[in-house]
Structures are given as structure tokens and as C-alpha cells.
Amino acid sequence: MQSRETLLRQIPAVDEMLRLPAVEAWAKSRPRAVMVEAIRGALADLREHILAGDALRPEDLDPARLLPAVEARLIAILRPSLRRVVNATGVVVHTNLGRSPLPAEAIEAIRRVAEGYSNLEYDVARGERGKRFVHVEGLLRDLTGAEAATVVNNNAAAVLLVLNALAEGKEVVVSRGELIEIGGSFRIPDVMARSGARLREVGTTNKTRLKDYEEAVGPDTAMLLKVHTSNFAIVGFTEDVPVSGLAGLGRRRGIPVMHDLGSGSFVDLAQLGIGPEPTVGESLKAGADVVTFSGDKLLGGPQAGIILGKKDLIEKIRRNPLARAVRIDKLTLAALEAVLRIYRDDPADAAKKIPVLAMLTAAPSDLKRRAQKLAEMIRREVRDRAAVSVQPEQSQAGGGALPLGNLPTFAASVLPADVSVSRVEALLRESDPPVIARVKEGCVLFDPRTLRDADFPVVAQAVGRALGEAAAETGK
């Protein structure tokens, strides 16, 4: 066994690797800087193995033997950072995986607008400058009954903008039980502080009454705020004030009421077998003066912050300087318009055309049939390297929506025979495209609720490769 120092001296030089015929062939269609980066990465890995005391032979340092490592590095460097993944977790609105997949109509709308110029801020009929929000305002008014509407780049921005425009330097009264934290450690009190509004907490964590709001209202009160808790629920000994109650108080005292719905839904999900979840229309009918919600959660569209409400308040919000800083872009607008048109023009088919709604409302019997189909495809790929079965499971709505929602499903379950389940899960994430699954009780689970039928062969083949690679690593 040669010493560590001897092995380190035998590591090939970058120039030596660049002169290999295979590397020269790769370099014909790739930038030299990329080739050098791939080689240096492969050599750095080799150096780490030597320093760690891994058993290496002199022939392992032969430049030709390093070509697979260089090629793997090259593929990783050239691969886009943001790319498609296969979501087999059963979490429908998966924030880490991009939330809502878009319907075909929205994807086509993005393509049409992206490939050339558009009338983003141009009034074609008048031949003069226009406003970008007009492309969706009419649709939003038709769908919700709101007097006016505008859109920004996400709901956190919508809340920030509304508070800054309507309550900067003044008090906003909100229940202590609604001071939530959303994904990424963003908290309502922090957003409020950044807006310049002052927080006035009322009530307790589990009980807030209308009297609490009434006693808090004073000459410095600019707004009454209700926040839909979305990603959690308090059960048991609880009490809160509905929007209608706050609206009545707001009218008596001349104070606007804002309702941050968070997820935001245009359809009554309870009628589709899930929920309950307040709808945008219900909030406006209850008397909310301003309503904000996300475009990429239960609505099933692109990331956007949607603001609806009274015309005079929306106009004031639009004129706020922050509105430009958080404005929505043309591709998002194109996708949002397409999604809104589905709700308006094909309301009966919205649950089928919009992927999020189709996934949320999938029948357990259909999920079981699809799980069985997926399990059979996986079984053919893995043979005797794992036990494959179908078992009842629970899906999640995700995205901070329906925290108590119960979504029964069936998952294809893979129990590896002789390899680590955690290693199999990691190898699935390293596949192309990455397959993101769940691990439970020593098994890898694949929930068909968040899979397209076209994903099934991709998943099955990825499982087969992962089990094979894991076995090869352990010598089994």
C-alpha cells in the first residue's frame, strides 16, 4: 500500500486530463472553462478520498479511469439549476417543489407572450400607454363581485402593499390568535412592521371577541385585519370574530376591514368533498373592504398576490410607490389570465382542467387503481430486489391550506431487500429527473395523487436504477 503522500503526488494534472482524446472530443462542443471546472472537481474528489484514507491503488489514479467522474461532473455543471422534478410525495401544493402545476392553457399563454412583444402596458384600442393589471381585473371582478382588483408578485407583497398604502404610521387591530408565521419564517407582525403600520393585538391565542376589537379602536386606528390561519388550526375551547362581525364594526366606526385569505379559493371545496375553506366570494359578501390571497395555492395558478376590494381603496393601493416594486411580470400575468378564464368560461370543468383541483378531488377508488398500476410497473423493474405493495395512506393539500384536511389515498410502497431505504431515497433524488418520494417505516412511498400517468414509467425506472446502484455500492 502506497503512502498518502505518494498517492497525492500521482494525481493527474488538469492539463494532462485535457489532452485525453475523450476530453478533447467533449471540448469541441463545450466551453473550455466548463471542461476545466469538471476536471478540477473530479480531481478534488479524488484528493478527498486519498486524504480520508480510502483504499486506492495506483491504477485508480490513471487519467483514463477518471473519465467517468469527469463526465458526471460535466453533466451536473451543464444541467439547469431550476428543473422539473417528479412529485411522488402526495403533497399537492408543495411549496418546495414550486407549488401549483399549471393547466395546459396557462402554459400555452406563457409561450405566446414570451416569444415576442405584447400589449403588457399598451392600450391597443387607444394607441396609448396602458396599465398591466387591466388584463385580469375584469375577470377578477366577474368571478368575485369585487368593485376593483389589482395584482402583485405574491401574497406577502400584497399584504405589505395594502398595509403600507392604507395604514402607514397608524394602528392595525388584529387578533393575537391570527399572528401567524408562513413559510420561510415570514411572520405577519414582521410584515406589518416593514409596512410602517403599528400592530395592536387583541384577544388571546384561542379566544377573541368582537368586544376586544371595539375596545381597541381609537383615533389612531386605520384598519381591522383578519388573517386566515391557513397552515394551522386551533381546536377545542376557541372563539373568533367572523368577517361579517368585523365589517359591521368597521362600518360603524368608519374603518376599513382587510381579510388576508392566504390560500384563496374560488370554489367551495366542501361541495367537492374536502374543506371547509372560505372562498374569496364569501369574504367579500361578508363585508371585507380589501381581500388578499395567493395565486399559486388553491386557485391553482402562478405565483401572484391578488388584491380585491372597494374601488377607492384599490385605487389608493395602486398609487402607492411600493406597487411598482412588487408589480407582477408579463409571463405571470399571462398564466393568471388563462387560469381565471377557465374559472369564468368553464366553471363546470375547472376541477378537471386545473391540476391542483383535479389532484385534491381525486376519488380514492381511482387513486387505488393508479397505485396498483404504478406498483406493477415498479415490480417489473425491481424483480426480487424489493417487496412492492399498495397500502392506504394520507395525502396533504400543502401550501398552508386545509391543515385539518383528510385526503385518503393509496400509495405504491417499496421495501428494499438488502439496502438502506435512506440511500434508495437519496439515489431517487439524484436521478434525472429527480424523483421526490416519502419514507415511512422503512419503505419508500409513491403517492399517485401528485403523479401524472406519464410519470409512472419514469418513477418505475428510477426505482429500478436506484436499487441497482445501492446494491452495487454495498457489493450485494
Side-chain angles (χ1 to χ4, degrees):
M1 179 70 68
Q2 294 194 12
S3 69
R4 189 177 302 175
E5 291 71 20
T6 301
L7 290 172
L8 288 171
R9 285 195 297 270
Q10 292 177 356
I11 293 176
V14 172
D15 286 343
E16 183 180 359
M17 295 294 299
L18 285 169
R19 289 193 294 271
L20 292 175
V23 175
E24 289 181 341
W26 293 336
K28 289 180 180 178
S29 57
R30 296 169 178 86
R32 177 183 171 84
V34 170
M35 293 303 311
V36 170
E37 182 181 351
I39 292 169
R40 284 177 174 165
L43 297 180
D45 288 344
L46 182 61
R47 187 174 293 104
E48 287 183 10
H49 283 299
I50 295 172
L51 293 174
D54 295 344
L56 294 174
R57 302 163 300 175
E59 53 266 35
D60 292 328
L61 279 67
D62 186 302
R65 289 206 175 196
L66 298 177
L67 287 175
V70 173
E71 184 176 23
R73 281 273 182 172
L74 188 60
I75 291 171
I77 293 169
L78 294 174
R79 180 186 296 140
S81 177
L82 181 61
R83 54 197 173 112
R84 181 176 82 92
V85 303
V86 177
N87 178 13
T89 66
V91 180
V92 178
V93 185
H94 200 308
T95 297
N96 304 128
L97 303 184
R99 290 189 178 165
S100 298
L102 295 175
E105 292 86 344
I107 296 169
E108 174 59 21
I110 291 172
R111 186 197 64 77
R112 288 197 306 268
V113 169
E115 67 182 2
Y117 296 101
S118 68
N119 62 330
L120 176 64
E121 290 188 355
Y122 184 72
D123 187 325
V124 175
R126 297 183 177 184
E128 61 187 35
R129 185 183 181 91
K131 302 290 186 181
R132 64 179 63 198
F133 62 81
V134 301
H135 301 293
V136 294
E137 185 183 22
L139 289 164
L140 287 167
R141 290 201 310 264
D142 291 346
L143 287 163
T144 67
E147 290 182 9
T150 193
V151 287
V152 292
N153 58 20
N154 64 32
N155 191 47
V159 173
L160 176 73
L161 176 61
V162 173
L163 291 172
N164 183 260
L166 304 182
E168 184 180 16
K170 295 188 176 183
E171 286 186 349
V172 174
V173 184
V174 60
S175 168
R176 184 170 284 110
E178 296 173 1
L179 295 176
I180 64 170
E181 177 179 307
I182 59 178
S185 300
F186 292 99
R187 299 178 173 182
I188 287 293
D190 296 338
V191 174
M192 191 174 292
R194 290 292 181 182
S195 74
R198 299 199 307 274
L199 169 65
R200 177 70 183 272
E201 297 180 37
V202 297
T204 64
T205 302
N206 61 320
K207 277 185 176 265
T208 303
R209 301 178 177 90
L210 185 59
K211 183 180 178 181
D212 296 318
Y213 291 93
E214 291 174 334
E215 293 177 347
V217 171
D220 226 18
T221 303
M223 182 184 294
L224 303 178
L225 171 62
K226 186 169 184 61
V227 181
H228 180 41
T229 52
S230 298
N231 56 2
F232 81 97
I234 301 175
V235 297
F237 192 57
T238 65
E239 183 178 347
D240 70 341
V241 181
V243 173
S244 57
L246 287 182
L249 174 60
R251 285 192 296 270
R252 292 193 300 273
R253 305 297 289 269
I255 301 169
V257 173
M258 173 183 174
H259 191 190
D260 174 21
L261 267 174
S263 296
S265 178
F266 281 179
V267 298
D268 184 356
L269 296 176
Q271 293 185 359
L272 299 177
I274 54 177
E277 181 78 9
T279 68
V280 176
E282 288 170 348
S283 179
L284 289 166
K285 287 179 182 178
D289 299 294
V290 179
V291 176
T292 62
F293 58 97
S294 295
D296 58 347
K297 292 185 178 180
L298 295 181
L299 186 69
Q303 177 180 299
I306 301 170
I307 308 171
L308 309 175
K310 295 287 193 288
K311 188 173 182 179
D312 60 330
L313 298 178
I314 297 298
E315 187 57 38
K316 189 173 182 179
I317 291 165
R318 288 174 185 156
R319 293 197 303 266
N320 187 281
L322 272 180
R324 183 175 179 84
V326 297
R327 67 180 180 177
I328 194 169
D329 76 289
K330 63 181 181 181
L331 302 185
T332 307
L333 261 176
L336 181 59
E337 180 185 2
V339 170
L340 295 175
R341 285 184 179 278
I342 292 174
Y343 279 105
R344 189 193 65 179
D345 302 339
D346 301 305
D349 292 331
K352 296 178 182 178
K353 288 188 172 184
I354 296 175
V356 162
L357 294 182
M359 292 177 193
L360 288 173
T361 59
S365 58
D366 185 50
L367 292 168
K368 184 176 183 179
R369 176 188 60 78
R370 297 181 68 232
Q372 290 170 336
K373 178 181 177 182
L374 175 59
E376 182 54 38
M377 295 175 71
I378 294 174
R379 199 173 285 117
R380 289 198 294 267
E381 292 288 337
V382 305
R383 301 183 183 88
D384 59 351
R385 291 176 293 182
V388 183
S389 62
V390 172
Q391 62 187 52
E393 276 295 332
Q394 297 291 326
S395 303
Q396 295 179 26
L402 306 170
L404 297 181
N406 190 20
L407 300 175
T409 189
F410 289 86
S413 173
V414 176
L415 175 63
D418 298 309
V419 296
S420 162
V421 67
S422 61
R423 182 56 182 153
V424 172
E425 186 272 338
L427 287 168
L428 287 169
R429 285 187 280 107
E430 295 172 11
S431 61
D432 188 17
V435 175
I436 314 300
R438 286 195 293 136
V439 172
K440 180 180 179 182
E441 298 175 356
C443 297
V444 188
L445 302 181
F446 305 89
D447 190 336
R449 186 184 294 275
T450 49
L451 293 171
R452 303 170 302 168
D453 286 346
D455 294 326
F456 284 12
V458 176
V459 170
Q461 291 162 18
V463 173
R465 286 194 302 269
L467 287 167
E469 291 177 32
E473 290 173 354
T474 59
K476 295 182 180 179

